[in-house]
Amino acid sequence: QQPVQSPQAVILREGEDAVINCSSSKALYSVHWYRQKHGEAPVFLMILLKGGEQKGHEKISASFNEKKQQSSLYLTASQLSYSGTYFCGTGEDSGGSNYKLTFGKGTLLTVNP
Amino acid sequence: DSGVTQTPKHLITATGQRVTLRCSPRSGDLSVYWYQQSLDQGLQFLIQYYNGEERAKGNILERFSAQQFPDLHSELNLSSLELGDSALYFCASSGGQGRYGYTFGSGTRLTVV
């Protein structure tokens, strides 16, 4: 089951904040976040695991609400380099060697000067 | 360079033909995943291999097949190609334990004419 991301697109001015949400109808073990720039491969940002702590990476952080099966990605004081499409990927099992991510359709983030 | 190598980068072929896409995972990663990315569908999971064995299957067509070799490189075979198979095909690798992010290759852009 594909997770649902919102919003589908967002336009910011440099320095503004944004929140991207990811919601699943299934119980989740993990949520991954990736950023993909046009014509390039997705790049891993962070992973949040069931029972784990909120993660942060410079001015980008994320939370994972296991009960609601939701995750949010927070981008603060956005920079031009943050532009791209953000994907969440959800994993339903507890890991091991049988593990796959199901990705949402993505959120297109555009940061303007 | 992400450490995941995909060849070829571009492929143009006619309908009905067969092609093979190749992926070498990042050193030490045992899991290889194949994803198809088209404009309207996002990243669609095709298949996962772990240390030479198929471990998870997604919406992979019967015309498509894959395998992972003893040296851990993987090949995705697409046959009886149709116009709708035109897409970006990504390979990703990970430690395979569900606690690690994916490292994506740069992708193979397949155009079926």
Side-chain angles (χ1 to χ4, degrees), chain A residues 2 29-30 32 34 36 39-44 47 49 87 94-105, chain B residues 31 33 35 37 40-45 48 50 55-57 88 90 96-102 104-106:
Chain A
Q2 188 174 38
Y29 171 74
S30 69
H32 295 217
Y34 293 79
Q36 184 179 29
E40 299 180 10
V43 174
F44 173 69
I47 181 173
L49 300 175
F87 292 96
S94 59
S97 59
N98 301 345
Y99 191 78
K100 67 176 180 69
L101 290 180
T102 304
F103 286 92
K105 290 194 172 184
Chain B
S31 267
Y33 310 83
Y35 282 84
Q37 185 175 42
D40 57 342
Q41 293 296 322
L43 284 159
Q44 296 292 308
F45 172 70
Q48 179 214 355
Y50 178 83
R55 288 306 178 99
K57 224 169 183 177
L88 251 179
F90 283 108
Q97 298 303 310
R99 291 177 173 269
Y100 307 107
Y102 286 11
F104 281 84
S106 57

Side-chain angles (χ1 to χ4, degrees), chain B residues 1-108:
Chain B
D1 181 9
S2 67
V4 177
T5 304
Q6 282 189 256
T7 56
K9 289 196 182 305
H10 302 276
L11 204 48
I12 300 175
T13 190
T15 54
Q17 293 298 304
R18 182 179 190 274
V19 297
T20 298
L21 312 184
R22 182 187 169 103
C23 169
S24 293
R26 196 178 58 162
S27 178
D29 285 351
L30 298 179
S31 267
V32 168
Y33 310 83
W34 287 96
Y35 282 84
Q36 179 191 57
Q37 185 175 42
S38 53
L39 279 174
D40 57 342
Q41 293 296 322
L43 284 159
Q44 296 292 308
F45 172 70
L46 295 177
I47 199 165
Q48 179 214 355
Y49 280 84
Y50 178 83
N51 203 21
E53 293 184 10
E54 181 186 306
R55 288 306 178 99
K57 224 169 183 177
N59 298 323
I60 187 167
L61 300 171
E62 285 190 11
R63 301 182 285 110
F64 295 1
S65 65
Q67 58 184 133
Q68 187 179 30
F69 295 88
D71 66 353
L72 300 179
H73 90 270
S74 178
E75 293 181 356
L76 178 67
N77 300 297
L78 316 175
S79 61
S80 303
L81 286 167
E82 302 174 359
L83 295 177
D85 297 328
S86 296
L88 251 179
Y89 290 83
F90 283 108
C91 163
S93 73
S94 79
Q97 298 303 310
R99 291 177 173 269
Y100 307 107
Y102 286 11
T103 301
F104 281 84
S106 57
T108 293

Side-chain angles (χ1 to χ4, degrees), chain A:
Chain A
Q1 197 92 12
Q2 188 174 38
V4 176
Q5 287 187 234
S6 63
Q8 290 183 324
V10 58
I11 299 174
L12 302 173
R13 290 208 177 273
E14 214 172 354
E16 291 181 338
D17 302 340
V19 180
I20 299 172
N21 299 303
C22 174
S23 180
S24 175
S25 60
K26 295 194 172 186
L28 301 177
Y29 171 74
S30 69
V31 179
H32 295 217
W33 286 97
Y34 293 79
R35 176 172 60 211
Q36 184 179 29
K37 293 185 180 286
H38 184 68
E40 299 180 10
V43 174
F44 173 69
L45 295 176
M46 66 187 73
I47 181 173
L48 299 105
L49 300 175
K50 184 177 178 179
E53 299 176 356
Q54 180 168 335
K55 289 291 189 72
H57 175 67
E58 295 180 346
K59 295 179 183 176
I60 301 175
S61 62
S63 63
F64 178 20
N65 187 321
E66 300 159 28
K67 287 185 179 179
K68 292 185 178 180
Q69 294 139 215
Q70 293 174 346
S71 177
S72 295
L73 185 71
Y74 307 94
L75 300 105
T76 58
S78 59
Q79 306 169 11
L80 296 177
S81 62
Y82 286 5
S83 292
T85 301
Y86 288 77
F87 292 96
C88 70
T90 54
E92 296 162 20
D93 62 42
S94 59
S97 59
N98 301 345
Y99 191 78
K100 67 176 180 69
L101 290 180
T102 304
F103 286 92
K105 290 194 172 184
T107 295
L108 178 61
L109 180 79
T110 304
V111 181
N112 293 321

